[in-house]
């Protein structure tokens, strides 16, 4: 079942009222409560003691101050130094002590809540990272509903407000509030009888139902607007971040970004306002009317007792204070309600994202074996009748693909946009699993090998490679993070791609940050960044990888730089099993075999010369079209990629 279908199951009418109440009110609290043991026994003991004290002190204040009020007439009549006067002073000191104690402990409760928040949120962040990386594939990270749930889980953590940690602290703080309610109810029972006490308790709980029930329903809006929040965050980052700063100014995109950000923000706000009116307007009037009736009954019972002589001055003072303080407990709890409710929203988002990953695991990790992939492929990689679709209701991107990649040779994959070239790479690297068919490595199903072990044998340069704002050395060494950093191999990989001269000119050499946002950092051109990505792949080859995949490896280079690089590329990858994907056919003509993909299948296969000789061949048509555009010639000799060891380039040319 998809994430969207699961969300539909949670809609109105999809569950009984009891099940819905358990799902929306009880289960989220249980999810928050699971964090309590991770806070630490010592801190929990201190927090509990403080909350119990904050629950008891207001009750002590009401009792002692009321007894003091009851003693006033006798103390005045008997004068100073009398037993009544002394008792009144003692009660005054006790009430003052309770009042001051509460003032001292309230900030302490806040400080302890912050400690609870940090411990819990640190663990939740670790859990989010672990869940996001749990699946060996990337399907869940490309699912919009799953990303919305992930946004719910992370957005409040990013801002440090209303997080699962604050929700945990708020849950613990409820002990103080409900201890107070129990005490005030008991006082009213003592002063005015059980009916009045039960009326106060019912009124407060009714208010609480309105507060928490409304807040719970209102919090649902954040699930509805999660996509709008994510869209707004993206537009704000584009408008204010350094990545798009040049284009925003050159193309005058600031008005477009501003108007779209305003439109998305207003759509989000209108949705929130609509929910707020629905949840709070009419219910507020209803609960207020019932609350007034309950409070009036309790106060009337007390005053009637005074008139009848059954309620003393002390009991009246105690009862009135208990009623007023009790009714205030029906209001919102700033230390608990909003933090707990929206912290539970973040927690629920994490739980749903976790469920989506768990749902995806049986598919991405299907048949995940433990075989040792070291040194493979030794003979070949074969796609055997492989079909793949990104969703059950979407068309196949690959449809019965049969393809062999001989070990130690270079295979070029070409085809029009959408032919399935990059999808083939995702399957080869096990970011996705075939919908049907299988991939064989040296005759064995690829799924029989350990996923991480196989990926150590694969080095990939994706078309959308990452530009890490880290040092030059780290950008290269990330090609083999499992291996210890080897500066000699890093230098050799940079030499392979013609960037050794650049490295030697940098102020901090290999440790120079590749971003001007950091001290001593520099910016690189697009072509230089692409060479860094290729150097990363070459470093992986030098540390043991056997399969090199290059997806549009020279797209950021000009034609001359591309030609110079590819002339050297022949020597660089000798002996490695290489898959080269490119829309520039001039960059694939040196491959040992060229595969033309069309409609998710192999349409043509052969060397450059063989494909050019095909009458009305698709490859030949595309090549001649590009040759006319770039004034390329087809008569110069081309080296073949023979199996030897990876070579070490020495020239220092680089794309300007």
């Amino acid at each position: 079942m998809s994430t969207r279908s699961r969300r539909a199951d949670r809609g109105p009418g999809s569950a009984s009222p009891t099940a819905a109440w358990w799902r929306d009110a009880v289960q989220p609290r249980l999810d928050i409560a699971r964090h309590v043991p991770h806070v630490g026994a010592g801190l929990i003991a201190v927090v509990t003691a403080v909350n119990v004290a904050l629950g008891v002190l207001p009750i002590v204040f009401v009792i002692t101050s009321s007894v003091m009020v009851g003693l006033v007439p006798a103390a005045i009549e008997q004068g100073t130094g009398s037993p009544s006067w002394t008792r009144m002073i003692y009660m005054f000191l006790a009430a003052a002590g309770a009042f001051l104690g509460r003032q001292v402990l309230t900030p302490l409760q806040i400080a302890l809540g912050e400690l609870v928040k940090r411990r819990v949120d640190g663990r939740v962040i670790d859990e989010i990272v672990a869940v996001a990386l749990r699946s060996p594939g990337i399907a869940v990270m490309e699912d919009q509903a799953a990303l919305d749930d992930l946004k719910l889980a992370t957005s409040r953590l990013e801002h440090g407000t209303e997080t699962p940690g604050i929700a945990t602290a708020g849950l613990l703080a409820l002990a103080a509030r409900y201890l107070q309610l129990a005490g005030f109810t008991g006082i009213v029972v003592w002063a005015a009888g059980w009916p009045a006490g039960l009326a106060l308790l019912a009124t407060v709980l009714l208010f609480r139902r309105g507060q928490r029930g409304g807040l719970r329903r209102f919090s649902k809006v954040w699930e509805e607007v999660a996509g709008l929040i994510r869209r707004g965050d993206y537009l704000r980052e584009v408008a204010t971040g350094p990545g798009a700063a040049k284009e925003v100014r050159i193309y005058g995109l600031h008005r477009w970004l501003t108007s779209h950000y305003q439109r998305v923000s207003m759509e989000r706000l209108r949705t929130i306002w609509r929910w707020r009116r629905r949840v709070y307007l009419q219910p507020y009037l209803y609960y207020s009317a019932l609350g007034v009736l309950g409070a009036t009954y309790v106060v009337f019972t007390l005053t009637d007792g005074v008139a009848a002589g059954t309620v003393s001055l002390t009991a009246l003072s105690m009862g009135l204070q208990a009623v007023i303080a009790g009714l205030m407990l029906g209001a919102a709890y700033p230390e608990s309600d909003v933090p707990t409710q929206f912290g539970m929203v973040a927690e629920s988002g994490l739980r749903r994202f976790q469920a989506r990953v768990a749902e995806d695991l049986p598919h991405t990790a299907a048949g995940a074996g433990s075989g040792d992939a070291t040194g493979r492929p030794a003979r070949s990689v074969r796609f055997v009748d492989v079909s793949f679709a990104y969703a059950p209701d979407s068309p196949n991107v690959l449809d019965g693909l049969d393809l062999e990649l001989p070990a130690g040779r270079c295979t070029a994959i070409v085809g029009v946009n959408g032919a399935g070239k990059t999808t083939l790479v995702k399957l080869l690297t096990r970011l996705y699993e075939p919908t049907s068919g299988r991939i064989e490595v040296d005759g064995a199903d690829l799924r029989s090998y350990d996923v991480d072990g196989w990926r150590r044998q694969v080095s990939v340069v994706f078309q959308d490679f990452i530009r890490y704002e880290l040092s030059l050395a780290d950008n290269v060494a990330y090609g083999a993070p499992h291996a210890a950093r080897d500066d000699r191999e890093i230098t050799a990989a940079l030499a392979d791609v013609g960037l050794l001269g650049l490295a030697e000119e940098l102020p901090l050499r290999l440790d120079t940050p590749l971003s001007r946002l950091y001290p001593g950092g520099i910016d690189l051109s697009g072509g230089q960044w692409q060479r860094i990505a290729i150097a990363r792949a070459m470093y992986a080859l030098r540390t043991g990888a056997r399969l090199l995949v290059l997806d549009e490896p020279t797209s950021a280079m000009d034609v001359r730089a591309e030609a110079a690089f590819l002339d050297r590329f022949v020597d660089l990858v000798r002996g490695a099993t290489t898959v080269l994907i490119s829309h520039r056919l001039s960059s694939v003509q040196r491959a040992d075999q060229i595969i033309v993909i069309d409609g998710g299948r192999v349409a043509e296969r052969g060397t450059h010369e063989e494909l050019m000789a095909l009458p009305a061949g698709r490859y030949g048509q595309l090549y001649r079209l590009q040759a006319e555009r770039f004034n390329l010639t087809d008569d110069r000799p081309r080296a073949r990629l023979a199996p030897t060891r990876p070579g070490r380039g020495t020239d220092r040319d680089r794309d300007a």
Side-chain angles (χ1 to χ4, degrees), residues 199-264:
L200 174 65
L201 180 63
T203 301
V204 173
L205 292 181
L206 185 66
F207 281 164
R208 290 297 298 160
R209 183 180 185 277
Q211 287 285 350
R212 287 310 304 257
L215 189 60
R216 182 170 63 249
R217 291 191 297 275
F218 180 64
S219 68
K220 295 290 184 183
V221 70
W222 300 104
E223 297 180 18
E224 184 172 330
V225 301
L228 294 172
I229 293 174
R230 190 156 52 85
R231 178 66 174 170
D233 288 348
Y234 167 74
L235 292 171
R236 186 177 64 253
E237 290 168 4
V238 170
T240 61
K246 296 189 293 294
E247 289 196 9
V248 167
R249 285 154 178 79
I250 291 173
Y251 292 120
L253 296 178
H254 57 282
R255 292 181 180 175
W256 184 90
L257 287 169
T258 301
S259 64
H260 277 67
Y261 181 72
Q262 289 176 340
R263 179 177 58 79
V264 170

Side-chain angles (χ1 to χ4, degrees), residues 480-497:
H482 58 280
R485 170 175 160 173
D486 188 332
D487 285 358
R488 288 182 300 178
E489 293 296 344
I490 291 174
T491 301
L494 291 170
D496 287 341
V497 298

Side-chain angles (χ1 to χ4, degrees), residues 459-461 476 479-480 489-490 492-497 531-545 548 550 565 568-569 571-574 576 646-649:
S459 179
V460 185
V461 179
V476 177
E489 293 296 344
I490 291 174
L494 291 170
D496 287 341
V497 298
R531 289 174 186 261
I532 292 291
I534 299 173
R536 189 152 56 230
M538 298 306 299
Y539 181 79
L541 282 183
R542 290 177 170 277
T543 53
L548 175 64
L550 302 174
F565 175 79
R568 297 182 56 254
F569 181 75
D571 294 325
L572 292 176
V573 298
R574 288 187 186 279
R648 298 176 179 239

Side-chain angles (χ1 to χ4, degrees), residues 544-564:
R546 296 293 299 269
L547 175 60
L548 175 64
V549 181
L550 302 174
D551 188 357
E552 302 288 359
T554 58
S555 59
M557 301 181 191
D558 59 39
V559 176
R560 181 174 298 179
E562 176 194 40

Side-chain angles (χ1 to χ4, degrees), residues 34 41 57 66 102 150 199 369 375 385 415 447 469 516 524 550 567 582 587 592 648:
R34 74 185 182 88
L57 286 175
S66 297
R102 187 178 183 185
L150 183 59
D385 195 26
R447 289 172 292 189
E469 292 185 358
R516 292 193 184 278
L524 300 180
L550 302 174
D567 283 340
S582 179
S587 64
D592 294 292
R648 298 176 179 239

